[in-house]
């Protein structure tokens, strides 16, 4: 992580890189110097070893080659000394030479010469027919050499017939006194030496070859080059052997072109007798193989050590620099204000102590910052709250000021006004300032002050006073009717009374006017009903008399007409009764005479009165077994039950099991009375307005009715402070429930 | 830091892998296994194979480990020679050891251009075009030869040492056989130089030989000796028996080759040894396996081994001098 947003600073180099490079440079320097010295001394040591090995190989090869010739010279000398070649008969002499030929396979021909060079005896492994005698010049050279006491060894020559290399070896033949008497000459086949040279192991790929003093190749693995008579004076060792008069160069190491024209490490050893040298060569690659191998191994070790050093360097540099980098990164983060940053350096050194100090500092900063943040947050929230409160207060103030109802705050203990809104001021004719000097009793008429004090006490007990009608006194002494609502509340931490006064003076006036109108309508209705009842009753009596034949016999049409007229008159009478009841109930002029009524008895009477409705209908009535006492206006209750049971009979339908169940249920409050039928039910569309005037179910068109019955029932129940409701499903039946409080 | 660390670690791993790959390549070579096809064209010389394997084993070629041999035997059957040699070529052998002369000549023809080196043994190089020269045979051919003319002359000289007063010798041989030409030529010169009479008796087989011998007996006197030269007729059992029986019937010493006919043996034989030739051939094969081209390896002349059947010579009343006995590798008493 870089402090400067990843941009490299000019000349920037990270600490791990610097440490790693430093470690690698130091390690590599040590490795190179130590390895270089090791390789150098190893090279010198190996060079010495190679020289020694080569010389030993050359000595070994020279020993093999030299002994090959020496052994045969020794055999010739032994034959001379033991055989008494000059003192035995010719046949015996030949036998000796024959045996010598049989003993040594490399002897191709053996010739015994006398002191003058004449052949005394000659045996050959090849046919002697056509075999050329040794040249006289050669013989002379041989005799001269052996006479001087030296062994004669000729140059190597190739036999033209067999292509085999031959060398002529001759030793002196002497008498018992050692006097020179001739020479024993043998042609030695060098192909056996070739085999010896060919099998010489000079390392894995090295070789040995034999040259004479003139540089002629005598023996080598590649015989074809020997047969070609190749001269090798161009080669360094051969040339050196040719130049040196005697001895070998001793141990030395040199690189030069060799027998196969490749670079070799070579050495040679002069045989002395014969005057040949054995040269050994080892290719440079093989000779210095241990050095090369050592260099490769050393390089491998260097590379391995370098890799290890690289790993160790990276590890150590990271180990050293990581805590510092962590410190740097942490301080950078703290600088950016991230005070929750912590450093997890576990070392116990100075860096560890520094990390702990930074952690403590960061911790302190975080605590301080947290406190400041909390404080700022709290202030901000408070400001928000204050703004909300101010706005709320402003809104409430506005609502307080614009509302049309008089609103005021009163100290519940003293009853003094604390505040009053403009509507309040307008209602009573006081300014707000004047209100603050008044108490609630100051605007209360004398007769209501007791009630007001009770209300104040209720508020002092932290309970609300329900809305109720009151009369208040205005500044000018006039009175106003108000609906007063009083609620306790807290204002600036103090308990206050919130009072709402709604001016209902004009409503009272309207109510009074309506009552007056209602009384007039009722009086008119009573008068009309009374006036209609008399002729209707007369009409009914006449029809009944006519029906009974008091005015003569009636035919069937006449009887039916009379019956229809009688039915219509009864309906009109009932209608008049309903209208009268309606008028009384609506006008509130119907006085209730409350008494204890036997419910079952009353039901039975109602059913008896409705027999004309039941007629031929087969209806089963289920009545309650018990007969509870109900407090009600018996007459009114009878009217209500007549309507409800009559409706049940009218709309019982035509089902097979027509049943009307009438009873009551006792709940927590007053008993619930019910009338249940399994008739045609009430359509859902008609249910909502069922208790309204002149409303009938949508499925009762065949039945005659005024549409006032359920309205009257509702008025009667409500007049008893009760409630009425119903449950109905079209086609299944209807159940009406109602209560009567009895108060 | 982490990025830098990963980069260096990756580089280090790559370096390590390269080093491992470098050193992993330094494996050893699988040693080569040489496959040698051996055609033994004449049962009489089969033991050359034994000498060859014996010497190869001494040179470090262990059968089943670094060398395998496919040894095919047949007895002077030219068709079989071709078949066997073609099989060797098809198998891609590393070297063919073949003997005797006729099989070697066939092998030279069949292996020409294949690059398969062949080493012959028990073969004559004169008049066979087997090699260009014995010093530089050329091509893919080299081997161990018999020096036929010199061997014939050596047999003549040894016979003279055992039968010193001989004036006439018969020389039977396979009629028309190419390698006898040079031998007869050398012998003719030697007999002339020694003022002796040589009667050549060519024959095709045992019966023909018997007829020829009887016929010659009617023409000339009984020879002082019968000289056997290097050729296939007397090397075969039946003609050898015929010759031995004829010589025994007329008390004629037979020499040159060992004839193991009970009671009628030859008095001496000088021939290259089979085992020795096999060993010489192995040495050449080793040179070839070590990288020298066959064509530049000079043909090696087989070493001759002298066997004196002293008992047979005495039975014929002949004296064998001590010197000759001293040169003999084997003396049968």
């Amino acid at each position: 992580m870089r402090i400067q947003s990843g941009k490299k600073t000019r000349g920037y180099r990270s600490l791990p890189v610097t440490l790693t490079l430093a470690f690698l440079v130091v390690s590599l320097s040590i490795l190179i110097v130590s390895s270089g010295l090791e390789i150098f001394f190893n090279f010198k040591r190996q060079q010495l070893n190679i020289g020694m090995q080569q010389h030993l190989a050359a000595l070994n090869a020279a020993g093999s080659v030299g002994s090959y010739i020496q052994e045969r010279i020794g055999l010739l000398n032994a034959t001379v000394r033991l055989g008494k070649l000059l003192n035995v008969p010719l046949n015996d002499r030949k036998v000796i030479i024959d045996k010598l030929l049989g003993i040594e396979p490399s002897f191709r021909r053996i010739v015994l010469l006398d002191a003058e060079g004449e052949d005394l005896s000659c045996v050959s492994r090849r046919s002697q027919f056509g075999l050329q005698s040794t040249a006289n010049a050669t013989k002379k050279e041989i005799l001269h050499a052996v006479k001087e006491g030296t062994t004669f060894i000729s140059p190597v020559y190739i036999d033209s017939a067999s292509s085999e290399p031959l060398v002529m070896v001759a030793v002196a033949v002497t008498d018992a006194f050692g006097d020179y008497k001739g020479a024993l000459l043998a042609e030695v086949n060098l192909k056996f030496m070739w085999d010896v040279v060919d099998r010489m192991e000079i390392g894995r790929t090295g070789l040995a070859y034999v040259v004479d003093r003139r540089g002629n190749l005598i023996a080598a693995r590649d015989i074809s080059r020997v047969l070609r008579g190749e001269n090798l004076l161009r080669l360094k060792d051969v040339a050196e052997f040719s130049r040196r008069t005697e001895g070998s160069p001793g141990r030395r190491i040199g690189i030069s072109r060799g027998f196969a024209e490749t670079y070799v490490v070579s050495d040679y050893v002069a045989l002395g007798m014969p005057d040949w040298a054995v040269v050994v060569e080892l290719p440079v690659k093989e000779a210095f193989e241990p050095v090369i191998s050592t260099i490769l191994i050393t390089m491998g070790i260097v590379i391995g050590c370098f890799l290890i050093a690289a790993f160790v360097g990276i590890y150590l540099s990271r180990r050293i620099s990581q805590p510092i980098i962590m410190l740097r990164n942490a301080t950078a983060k703290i600088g950016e204000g991230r005070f929750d940053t912590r450093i997890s350096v576990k070392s116990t050194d100075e860096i560890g102590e520094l990390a702990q100090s930074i952690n403590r500092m960061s911790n302190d900063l975080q605590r301080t910052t947290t406190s400041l943040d909390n404080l700022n947050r709290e202030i901000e929230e408070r400001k928000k709250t204050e703004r909300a409160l101010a706005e709320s207060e402003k809104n409430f103030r506005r609502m307080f000021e614009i509302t049309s109802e008089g609103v005021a705050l009163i100290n519940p203990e003293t009853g003094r006004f604390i505040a009053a809104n403009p509507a309040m001021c307008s209602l009573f004719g006081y300014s707000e300032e004047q209100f603050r000097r008044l108490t609630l009793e100051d605007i209360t008429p004398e007769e209501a002050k007791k009630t007001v004090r009770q209300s104040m006490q209720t508020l002092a007990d932290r309970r609300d006073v329900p809305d109720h009608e009151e009369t208040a006194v205005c500044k000018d002494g006039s009175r106003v009717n108000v609906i007063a609502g009083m609620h306790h509340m807290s204002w600036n931490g103090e308990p206050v009374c919130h009072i709402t006064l709604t001016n209902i003076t004009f409503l009272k006036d309207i109510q009074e006017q309506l009552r007056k109108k209602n009384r007039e309508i009722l009086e008119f209705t009573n008068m009309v009903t009374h006036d209609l009842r008399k002729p209707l009753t007369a009409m009914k009596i006449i029809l009944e008399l006519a029906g009974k034949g008091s005015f003569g016999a009636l035919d069937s049409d006449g009887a039916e007409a009379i019956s229809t007229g009688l039915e219509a008159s009864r309906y009109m009478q009932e209608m008049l009764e309903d209208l009268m009841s309606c008028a009384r109930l609506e006008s509130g002029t119907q006085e209730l005479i409350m008494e204890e009524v036997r419910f079952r008895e009353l039901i039975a009477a109602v059913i008896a009165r409705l027999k004309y409705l039941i007629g031929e209908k087969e209806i089963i009535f289920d009545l309650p077994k018990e007969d509870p006492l109900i407090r009600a206006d018996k007459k009114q209750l009878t009217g209500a039950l007549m309507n409800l049971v009559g409706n049940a009979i009218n709309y019982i339908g035509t089902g097979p099991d027509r049943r009307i169940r009438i009873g009551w249920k006792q709940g927590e409050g007053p008993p619930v009375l019910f009338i249940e039928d399994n008739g045609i039910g009430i359509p859902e569309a008609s249910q909502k307005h069922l208790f309204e005037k002149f409303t009938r179910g949508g499925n009762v068109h065949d039945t005659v009715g005024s549409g006032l019955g359920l309205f009257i029932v509702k008025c009667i129940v409500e007049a008893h402070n009760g409630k009425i409701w119903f449950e109905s499903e079209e086609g299944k039946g209807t159940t009406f429930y109602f209560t009567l409080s009895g108060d | 830091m982490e990025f830098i660390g990963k980069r260096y670690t990756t580089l280090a791993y790559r370096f390590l892998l390269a080093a491992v790959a470098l050193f992993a390549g330094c494996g050893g070579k699988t040693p080569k296994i040489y496959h040698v096809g051996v055609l033994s064209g004449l049962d009489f010389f089969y033991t050359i194979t034994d000498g060859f394997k014996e010497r190869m084993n001494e040179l470090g070629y262990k059968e089943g480990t670094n060398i395998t041999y496919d040894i095919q035997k047949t007895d002077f059957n030219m068709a079989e020679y071709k078949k066997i040699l073609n099989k060797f070529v098809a198998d891609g052998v590393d070297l063919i050891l073949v003997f005797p002369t006729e099989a070697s000549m066939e092998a030279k023809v069949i292996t020409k251009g294949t690059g398969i080196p062949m080493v012959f043994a028990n073969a004559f190089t004169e008049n066979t075009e087997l090699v260009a020269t014995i010093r530089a045979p050329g091509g893919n051919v080299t081997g161990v030869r018999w020096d036929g003319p010199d061997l014939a002359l050596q047999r003549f000289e040894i016979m003279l040492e055992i039968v010193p007063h001989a004036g006439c010798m018969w020389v039977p041989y396979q009629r028309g056989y190419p390698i006898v030409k040079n031998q007869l030529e050398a012998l003719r010169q030697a007999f002339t130089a020694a003022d002796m009479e040589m009667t050549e008796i060519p024959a095709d087989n045992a019966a023909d030989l018997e007829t020829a011998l009887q016929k010659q007996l009617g023409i000339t006197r009984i020879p002082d000796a019968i000289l056997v030269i290097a050729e296939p007729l007397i090397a075969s059992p039946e003609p050898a028996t015929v010759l031995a029986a004829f010589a025994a019937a007329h008390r004629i010493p037979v020499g040159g080759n060992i004839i193991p006919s009970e009671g009628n043996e030859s008095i001496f034989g000088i021939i290259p040894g089979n085992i020795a030739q096999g060993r010489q051939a192995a040495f050449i094969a080793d040179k070839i396996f070590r990288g020298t081209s066959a064509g530049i390896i000079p043909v090696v002349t087989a070493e001759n081994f002298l066997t004196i059947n002293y008992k047979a010579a005495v039975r014929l009343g002949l004296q064998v001098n001590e010197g000759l006995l001293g040169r003999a590798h084997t003396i049968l008493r």
Side-chain angles (χ1 to χ4, degrees):
Chain A
M1 178 183 165
R2 298 275 161 78
I3 295 173
Q4 297 178 348
S5 305
K7 291 180 181 176
K8 288 184 179 177
T9 309
R10 183 184 174 85
Y12 174 83
R13 176 177 285 168
S14 73
L15 186 58
V17 174
T18 306
L19 287 173
T20 305
L21 288 176
F23 194 86
L24 288 178
V25 167
V26 171
S27 306
L28 203 57
S29 302
I30 294 168
L31 283 171
I32 289 171
V33 170
S34 62
S35 303
L37 289 172
E38 171 69 19
I39 290 170
F40 175 74
F41 287 116
N42 191 44
F43 175 77
K44 299 301 285 184
R45 192 165 52 245
Q46 189 60 32
Q47 203 175 24
L48 193 62
N49 284 342
I50 291 166
M52 290 174 70
Q53 286 172 5
Q54 285 291 86
H55 196 68
L56 284 173
L59 284 172
N60 188 40
S64 299
V65 173
S67 64
Y68 182 82
I69 301 297
Q70 292 293 348
E71 283 172 8
R72 280 137 190 88
I73 292 172
L75 194 58
L76 290 176
N77 281 323
T79 304
V80 167
R81 294 191 181 191
L82 297 174
K84 299 180 183 179
L85 293 175
L86 299 177
N87 300 326
V88 296
L90 181 63
N91 285 341
D92 292 346
R93 191 184 297 157
K94 186 173 181 300
V95 167
I96 292 169
I97 297 173
D98 270 335
K99 286 184 177 177
L100 180 60
L101 192 70
I103 289 170
E104 178 49 55
S106 65
F107 287 158
R108 199 180 77 151
R109 186 170 64 133
I110 301 172
V111 180
L112 180 63
L113 299 175
D114 63 12
E116 280 71 41
E118 292 296 323
D119 290 1
L120 297 178
S121 186
C122 176
V123 293
S124 173
R125 199 169 294 280
R126 291 179 62 83
S127 163
Q128 294 190 57
F129 182 80
L131 191 68
Q132 290 183 347
S133 179
T134 306
N136 288 331
T138 307
K139 285 182 179 174
K140 194 173 179 181
E141 193 178 348
I142 292 169
L143 294 176
H144 175 72
V146 299
K147 194 174 182 180
E148 294 296 321
T150 59
T151 301
F152 173 82
I153 300 175
S154 75
V156 176
Y157 57 94
I158 306 295
D159 177 46
S160 58
S162 63
S163 292
E164 290 170 347
L166 300 171
V167 65
M168 204 175 288
V169 179
V171 297
V173 178
T174 57
D175 59 13
F177 303 101
D179 294 334
Y180 167 71
K181 296 296 180 183
L184 183 60
L185 170 68
E187 266 185 344
V188 179
N189 192 336
L190 291 181
K191 73 176 182 180
F192 298 98
M193 190 185 77
W194 281 2
D195 294 348
V196 171
V197 172
D198 187 74
R199 296 302 303 168
M200 281 178 181
E201 297 283 351
I202 310 297
R204 286 196 319 278
T205 56
L207 57 86
Y209 53 93
V210 182
V211 293
D212 64 15
R213 181 69 73 177
R214 288 175 290 186
N216 294 323
L217 185 62
I218 295 172
R221 185 169 293 165
D222 188 352
I223 297 169
S224 63
R225 293 177 66 172
V226 181
L227 296 176
R228 283 201 301 267
E230 187 170 335
N231 188 283
L232 298 178
L233 278 174
R234 68 182 185 280
L235 302 182
K236 186 182 131 192
D237 283 291
V238 177
E240 187 177 331
F241 166 65
S242 183
R243 281 196 304 273
R244 291 174 74 95
T245 52
E246 58 182 26
S248 299
R251 288 199 310 266
R252 89 269 188 269
I253 185 78
I255 297 173
S256 60
R257 282 192 178 275
F259 186 72
E261 298 301 325
T262 56
Y263 284 101
V264 295
V265 176
S266 61
D267 196 3
Y268 74 90
V269 170
L271 301 182
M273 178 60 74
D275 193 14
W276 299 344
V278 174
V279 184
V280 293
E281 292 181 354
L282 194 63
V284 170
K285 187 179 175 184
E286 184 185 337
F288 288 96
E289 197 172 45
V291 177
I292 294 167
S293 178
T294 304
I295 290 171
L296 285 174
I297 291 169
T298 306
M299 285 179 69
I301 292 170
V302 168
I303 291 169
C305 291
F306 177 76
L307 291 176
I308 293 168
F311 279 121
V312 172
I314 291 169
Y315 172 75
L316 286 178
S317 66
R318 291 186 66 176
R319 182 80 185 263
I320 293 167
S321 59
Q322 198 167 24
I324 298 171
I325 289 170
M326 287 172 70
L327 287 173
R328 182 199 67 179
N329 294 341
T331 51
K333 286 179 181 176
I334 291 167
E336 290 169 358
R338 292 158 66 180
F339 300 125
D340 57 341
T341 305
R342 296 290 182 276
I343 305 164
S344 60
V345 175
K346 295 176 181 174
S347 61
T348 55
D349 52 11
E350 289 81 354
I351 293 173
E353 289 179 355
L354 178 59
Q356 287 176 1
S357 298
I358 291 174
N359 282 342
R360 280 196 296 275
M361 179 190 76
S362 177
N363 199 32
D364 293 343
L365 282 170
Q366 189 182 19
R367 275 208 302 271
T368 307
T369 308
T370 305
S371 300
L372 285 170
D373 286 346
N374 289 340
L375 189 60
N376 285 334
R377 202 158 36 244
E378 197 174 326
I379 289 169
E380 190 63 29
E381 285 176 1
R382 279 189 185 179
K383 282 181 178 175
K384 280 183 186 173
T385 307
E386 283 175 359
R387 281 196 295 272
L389 278 172
E391 189 174 353
S392 176
E393 188 178 353
K394 186 179 175 185
N395 290 335
F396 276 111
R397 168 66 64 184
R398 179 70 178 152
M399 287 164 60
F400 181 74
E401 287 174 349
I402 65 174
T403 183
S404 59
E405 294 180 339
V407 181
L409 295 178
I410 294 172
N411 187 328
E413 292 178 358
T414 62
R416 188 175 295 281
F417 284 94
I418 298 169
N421 72 343
M424 192 76 171
C425 295
S426 173
L427 179 61
F428 288 92
Y430 296 108
S431 66
E432 191 180 3
E433 190 61 35
Q434 288 171 331
F435 256 117
R436 286 183 185 141
R437 287 194 291 270
L438 298 174
T439 64
L440 185 59
E441 287 189 18
D442 291 339
I443 61 168
T444 305
E446 198 62 36
E447 66 273 13
K449 282 187 177 175
K450 184 180 177 183
T451 307
V452 168
R453 286 191 198 106
Q454 288 175 347
S455 297
M456 292 304 292
Q457 185 58 46
T458 303
L459 290 170
D461 293 340
R462 303 280 176 118
R463 287 184 291 130
D464 294 339
V465 178
D467 290 356
H468 59 281
E469 283 189 26
E470 284 288 352
T471 304
V473 181
C474 297
K475 183 180 179 181
D476 58 2
S478 62
R479 294 190 175 199
V480 291
N481 294 313
V482 294
I483 299 292
M486 303 172 79
H487 307 276
H488 75 278
M489 58 182 288
S490 179
W491 178 260
N492 291 333
E494 296 295 329
V496 295
C497 173
H498 174 268
I499 181 170
T500 308
L501 298 178
T502 306
N503 188 358
I504 60 170
T505 304
F506 70 99
L507 290 176
K508 282 287 184 184
D509 293 343
I510 292 169
Q511 189 180 25
E512 191 57 35
Q513 289 173 16
L514 284 173
R515 278 182 184 158
K516 188 177 178 183
K517 286 289 182 186
N518 277 342
R519 276 194 299 274
E520 289 173 0
I521 291 168
L522 183 61
E523 287 172 0
F524 173 75
T525 304
N526 283 335
M527 183 186 71
V528 169
T529 305
H530 189 263
D531 290 346
L532 286 174
R533 189 178 287 168
K534 282 182 179 174
L536 189 57
T537 302
M539 189 184 302
K540 188 179 174 185
I541 291 168
I542 292 168
L543 287 172
E544 283 175 351
L545 290 173
K548 289 176 180 177
S550 299
F551 304 111
L554 295 173
D555 57 10
S556 59
D557 290 338
E560 187 180 352
I562 293 300
S563 177
T564 302
L566 195 62
E567 185 67 26
S569 63
R570 188 182 299 129
Y571 172 71
M572 284 185 67
Q573 192 173 12
E574 286 178 1
M575 189 131 179
L576 284 173
E577 291 295 331
D578 287 345
L579 284 170
M580 284 292 291
S581 298
C582 244
R584 283 196 296 271
L585 290 168
E586 273 192 308
S587 65
T589 58
Q590 179 67 54
E591 294 292 334
L592 295 180
I593 303 165
M594 303 299 286
E595 59 180 312
E596 300 292 331
V597 179
R598 291 280 176 187
F599 180 64
R600 191 174 187 282
E601 186 181 317
L602 185 62
I603 286 294
V606 167
I607 291 171
R609 287 177 61 182
L610 292 173
K611 274 187 178 173
Y612 73 95
L613 274 181
I614 296 169
E616 300 300 323
K617 293 177 181 176
E618 292 181 358
I619 299 173
I620 300 168
F621 287 91
D622 288 340
L623 301 180
K625 294 177 181 176
E626 296 158 359
D627 192 10
L629 284 172
I630 297 169
R631 187 170 177 77
D633 183 320
K634 189 177 180 180
K635 185 180 178 186
Q636 295 299 323
L637 181 57
T638 301
L641 289 172
M642 287 287 285
N643 269 302
L644 291 172
V645 177
N647 283 344
I649 293 167
N650 282 332
Y651 309 126
I652 194 66
T654 57
D657 182 23
R658 288 170 287 190
R659 186 183 295 272
I660 296 173
R661 192 163 72 94
I662 303 165
W664 62 282
K665 291 188 288 188
Q666 184 63 55
E668 291 181 356
V672 179
L673 311 176
F674 65 87
I675 296 95
E676 179 189 86
D677 66 65
N678 57 354
I680 60 173
I682 304 165
E684 192 174 349
S686 305
Q687 292 179 5
K688 189 176 180 182
H689 306 289
L690 196 65
F691 289 108
E692 294 178 4
K693 284 189 288 188
F694 309 115
T695 300
R696 303 187 67 206
N699 53 350
V700 294
H701 304 295
D702 297 338
T703 307
V704 178
S706 62
L708 291 170
L710 288 176
F711 175 74
I712 292 167
V713 171
K714 180 174 176 278
C715 289
I716 292 168
V717 170
E718 286 178 350
H720 284 80
N721 292 325
K723 289 182 180 176
I724 185 169
W725 68 96
F726 66 94
E727 294 173 355
S728 181
E729 188 174 352
E730 190 172 11
K732 287 189 175 179
T734 306
T735 302
F736 281 93
Y737 303 91
F738 63 95
T739 61
L740 302 171
S741 71
D743 296 333
Chain B
M1 171 61 197
E2 285 179 3
F3 169 73
I4 293 167
K6 281 180 182 174
R7 192 175 65 184
Y8 279 130
T9 306
T10 306
L11 280 172
Y13 275 125
R14 286 181 180 176
F15 199 38
L16 185 63
L17 280 173
V20 168
L22 185 68
F23 285 106
C26 303
K29 290 180 180 175
T30 306
K32 179 175 174 58
I33 298 175
Y34 296 99
H35 302 280
V36 177
V38 180
L39 172 54
S40 171
L42 199 62
D43 289 346
F44 184 74
F45 300 123
Y46 178 74
T47 50
I48 289 173
T49 308
D50 299 333
F52 182 81
K53 289 171 69 177
E54 178 185 277
R55 182 59 176 152
M56 288 301 279
N57 186 58
E58 291 169 9
L59 292 169
Y61 298 91
K62 307 296 179 187
E63 187 172 6
T65 302
N66 59 350
I67 194 165
T68 58
Y69 300 99
D70 182 3
I71 299 170
Q72 301 289 333
K73 274 178 72 175
T74 184
D75 201 21
F76 212 68
N77 185 326
M78 298 301 287
E80 277 296 301
Y81 289 168
K82 286 183 181 177
K83 184 180 172 186
I84 293 167
L85 289 166
N86 279 319
K87 175 183 180 297
F88 288 160
V89 171
D91 292 346
V93 296
D94 296 303
L95 184 137
I96 294 173
L97 172 65
V98 56
F99 51 87
T101 308
E102 292 74 17
S104 302
M105 291 166 69
E106 195 65 50
K108 182 184 178 185
V109 173
I110 289 175
T111 60
K112 187 176 181 181
T114 63
I116 299 173
M118 61 164 276
V119 176
F120 58 79
N122 221 103
F124 294 90
T125 55
E126 297 82 12
N127 295 330
T128 59
E129 296 181 353
L130 196 56
V131 294
T133 65
I134 58 172
R135 186 176 288 197
N140 60 327
V141 182
T142 187
V144 185
R145 68 153 188 159
W146 281 23
D147 189 350
D150 185 70
L151 183 59
L153 290 174
Q154 282 191 62
R155 287 178 176 182
F156 171 62
E157 287 171 354
I158 293 169
M159 182 65 89
L160 277 181
E161 283 195 56
I162 299 174
V163 190
H165 304 293
C168 173
M169 292 186 194
W170 287 2
V171 181
Y173 61 90
Q174 180 80 42
R175 192 194 312 275
Y177 199 68
I179 62 170
V180 301
K181 183 182 175 185
N182 287 50
Q183 294 182 69
L184 292 172
E185 187 67 32
L187 285 175
R188 285 180 198 127
Q189 291 180 26
F191 272 89
T192 303
D195 194 19
M196 291 175 63
E197 182 184 341
M198 182 184 80
T199 303
E200 300 175 18
I201 302 177
D204 293 322
N205 47 47
D208 191 26
L209 175 65
E210 190 169 14
T211 305
L213 289 171
Q214 295 299 335
K215 184 182 176 185
Q216 191 61 39
L217 195 59
I219 298 171
T220 59
R221 65 181 178 93
I222 295 175
D224 300 313
I226 297 175
L227 185 67
V228 177
I229 61 172
E231 53 81 50
L233 181 67
I234 308 304
S236 302
E238 285 184 24
T241 305
V242 168
L243 181 64
F246 175 80
H250 299 283
R251 292 185 60 80
I252 305 170
V254 177
N257 196 1
I258 289 297
I259 299 174
S261 180
E262 185 60 37
N264 302 323
E265 304 96 334
S266 60
I267 56 173
F268 77 94
I270 179 167
I271 57 169
N274 287 349
I275 298 291
Q277 285 184 86
R279 292 176 66 85
Q280 285 178 295
F283 202 86
I284 295 171
D286 174 49
K287 276 181 175 295
I288 293 169
F289 286 159
R290 285 193 288 148
T292 307
S293 173
I296 63 169
I297 299 173
V299 175
V300 177
T301 302
E303 293 297 312
N304 295 322
F305 292 84
L306 174 61
T307 301
I308 301 291
N309 190 337
Y310 188 76
K311 184 175 66 175
V314 170
R315 194 163 54 226
L316 291 171
L318 300 172
Q319 293 287 324
V320 182
N321 68 62
E322 193 179 350
L324 192 59
L325 291 172
R327 281 161 53 193
H329 295 84
T330 308
I331 300 172
L332 302 175
R333 296 179 68 189

